[in-house]
Amino acid sequence: MITSPSSLRRSERSRRATLDAALELCTEKGYGRVTVEAIAARAGVSKKTIYRWWPSKVAVILEAFTQVVVGVTPFVETGDIAADLRAHINGLVRLLSTPPYGPAYSGILSEMHHDEGLARAVREQLVTPRFEAAVERLRRAQEQGQVPAGADLPLAVELLYGPVYYRHVLRKPPQDEATVAALVAHVLRSLTAGDPPADAPEGSPGRVPGQGRAPGQGRVS
């Protein structure tokens, strides 16, 4: 059967209304109290329509959140990796600080601890693709000489995102732009820190306590 353009438009309107309704209800009721029935009623569609496109309420909410994240936190390339990372992280902070997106994602993160299927979906659909995109942006900066050749790029991404999610999950005040700038600068500086000589004095910049000792030397019995 060929779907007419008008049918496609109606389907897209219904799909968009469903995604918006799911996010709105997360803010109003909290993730745990949102139901497919409530989403259908708010969106003005039938439950059958929702289940034709998504297997569960969390699939609706996850798709809605993922689409927004991708849209508002692009990995731009201006030639200045520090500026690009600041723009990216600031966009993420603003998103997580804004209803309905922050409350919706909080609900998803909470439910992940009780639902392995959801945890897998979040990793596959949201976390892993965004993580890989961030690593790739750093790799391009590496090719341009803005990041050292030996830098641990996956670790750098974790260092960038960790403080954002730490504050979000614990409901601490989000970073302001100055804090984000300091975070980005700190992470980029850490990538330029080379390994110190084995005979460097204890306490030297970059020296890890105990680094360079012979096995067993300096241990407390």
Side-chain angles (χ1 to χ4, degrees), residues 19-157:
L19 296 175
D20 291 344
L23 290 175
E24 291 169 2
L25 288 168
C26 275
T27 299
E28 296 172 13
K29 298 176 176 292
Y31 174 89
R33 298 176 63 188
V34 176
T35 63
V36 171
E37 289 83 359
I39 294 172
R42 175 67 61 90
V45 302
S46 68
K47 285 175 58 179
K48 182 179 179 181
T49 295
I50 292 178
Y51 282 121
R52 187 167 65 243
W53 292 333
W54 298 280
S56 63
K57 77 166 186 181
V58 70
V60 180
I61 296 169
L62 180 57
E63 180 175 330
F65 184 78
T66 299
Q67 284 193 353
V68 175
V69 168
V70 172
V72 304
T73 60
F75 290 96
V76 297
E77 188 165 354
T78 66
D80 182 342
I81 186 60
D84 294 348
L85 290 177
R86 288 194 299 269
H88 174 75
I89 297 298
N90 277 318
L92 179 60
V93 170
R94 285 192 295 270
L95 179 68
L96 294 178
S97 305
T98 305
Y101 311 111
Y105 197 43
S106 293
I108 292 172
L109 293 176
S110 176
E111 193 69 17
M112 282 172 58
H113 293 284
H114 311 287
D115 186 336
E116 179 54 36
L118 170 60
R120 184 170 54 254
V122 171
R123 289 193 299 268
E124 293 175 353
Q125 298 176 35
L126 177 60
V127 175
T128 298
R130 300 304 284 167
F131 186 89
E132 290 176 347
V135 170
E136 180 57 29
R137 178 64 190 91
L138 284 170
R139 183 169 290 113
R140 291 197 299 273
Q142 195 175 53
E143 293 168 352
Q144 296 162 0
Q146 298 183 63
V147 172
D152 187 333
L153 303 186
L155 178 58
V157 174

Side-chain angles (χ1 to χ4, degrees), residues 210 213-221:
R213 291 194 182 104
Q217 184 180 354
R219 289 180 181 167
V220 177
S221 301

Side-chain angles (χ1 to χ4, degrees), residues 161-176 179:
Y161 284 137
V164 177
Y165 287 108
Y166 163 77
R167 291 193 179 217
H168 179 65
V169 171
L170 296 184
R171 303 189 69 176
K172 294 171 69 70
Q175 293 98 325
D176 56 20
T179 305

